[in-house]
Amino acid sequence: MNIGFIGLGIMGSPMAANLVRADHTVVGYDVSAERLAALAAIGGKTASSIAETVAGADVVITMLPDSPQVEEVAFAGDGLLAHAKPGLLYIDTSTIRPETSRKVAQAAAARDVHALDAPVSGGERGAVDGTLSIMVGGRAEDFEAARQVLSHVGTTIVHVGPYGAGQTVKAANQLVVGGIYGLVAEAIVLLEASGVDPGPGLDVLAGGLAGSRILELKRHSMIKREFTPGFRIDLHHKDMGIATAAAREAGVSLPLTGMVAQLIAAARAQGHGGLDHSALLKVIERINS
Ligand code: NAD
């Protein structure tokens, strides 16, 4: 299959690499020349414009930071929708606002382009291993058409509803992830302040009811205060904005989500926006220092 891939960052780069490994022809585009060179080095083709990426593609995947970049790539005069051939399958795997996904999907449908919102969970590790969880919003027949391509980047691939539903599920995912990081940080602070080694302490937690992928994968780096991203605080801050806006639109109160959003905002205000979101630990430590 000919796949155009736009946005070759922490997540997009290993996802594109897995598609190359699965013998698809991948034409990648990114505003960063360094990112393009990395794709070329593993056997992908590179394009110098969105038009070139989309021309001849059966499927286009985007993995961009936020809603404005997705709108720019989709709607620009020389952008994706302007150059898409009829029948193109367009899978946006970025985490963005549900209303932006709906707007893009409706504009796409008017040009006979089949759009899906398909945000992912599993982090850089999941992207490298091809084991992402993918939550897909859009038409059922487009989901079925996308399933084979997505199976090369993820293992849990679920159709969760109409356009935008994938993004709403991702917002729910992000509030759970933020909450767990906050509580693991509090557990580390409690254990250390009590003179208990957090290493074996968190090993036990990881094997019990409190166990989670976060405890499994990140407890050692958190205890060592290694906060290389991974997933940047800045991006999680964006996601908490999406979650709180979704809650307002749905007319529900999510008090813990509000608290987690404020802790992530504090991490950013303290200059940690470029660190991994596990750096929430720095905020909890500062509250206690
Ligand atoms: P990133 O910043 O590493 O990658 C984004 C890439 O998009 C960059 O390489 C950037 O140069 C490129 N880009 C930006 N604007 C562009 C444009 N107009 N045209 C072409 N390329 C452009 O970010 P990331 O960590 O890979 O995250 C991407 C998305 O995935 C975000 O929405 C994020 O919330 C989501 N996400 C990230 C993770 C994670 O662990 N990093 C996990 C799940 C979901």
Side-chain angles (χ1 to χ4, degrees), residues 79-135:
L80 194 157
L81 293 180
H83 291 282
K85 67 180 182 191
L88 177 81
L89 184 59
Y90 168 37
I91 308 171
D92 178 34
T93 60
S94 326
T95 303
I96 63 171
R97 293 193 302 262
E99 62 268 30
T100 305
S101 291
R102 286 192 285 269
K103 185 172 147 189
V104 169
Q106 278 149 14
R111 291 168 176 78
D112 194 22
V113 171
H114 307 276
L116 293 167
D117 47 296
V120 307
S121 176
E124 186 182 11
R125 184 76 261 153
V128 170
D129 294 343
T131 57
L132 294 167
S133 277
I134 312 178
M135 38 222 104

Side-chain angles (χ1 to χ4, degrees), residues 177-226:
V177 168
I180 294 174
Y181 269 118
L183 289 171
V184 171
E186 292 189 5
I188 292 172
V189 166
L190 170 67
L191 292 170
E192 289 178 348
S194 311
V196 177
D197 185 344
L202 292 194
D203 286 349
V204 177
L205 264 65
L209 188 58
S212 67
R213 290 278 285 166
I214 288 171
L215 267 177
E216 187 188 321
L217 296 175
K218 300 295 275 282
R219 67 185 190 277
H220 300 298
S221 60
M222 285 180 78
I223 291 168
K224 283 190 252 165
R225 274 64 175 174
E226 285 172 5

Side-chain angles (χ1 to χ4, degrees), residues 28-110:
Y29 175 70
D30 195 292
V31 288
S32 152
E34 202 182 315
R35 295 297 193 176
L36 283 176
L39 178 66
I42 54 118
K45 296 180 193 298
T46 60
S48 53
S49 67
I50 293 169
E52 202 185 324
T53 315
V54 173
D58 307 302
V59 179
V60 172
I61 299 175
T62 47
M63 189 37 137
L64 296 160
D66 198 355
S67 304
Q69 290 83 27
V70 172
E71 290 203 45
E72 184 192 323
V73 164
F75 295 131
D78 59 350
L80 194 157
L81 293 180
H83 291 282
K85 67 180 182 191
L88 177 81
L89 184 59
Y90 168 37
I91 308 171
D92 178 34
T93 60
S94 326
T95 303
I96 63 171
R97 293 193 302 262
E99 62 268 30
T100 305
S101 291
R102 286 192 285 269
K103 185 172 147 189
V104 169
Q106 278 149 14

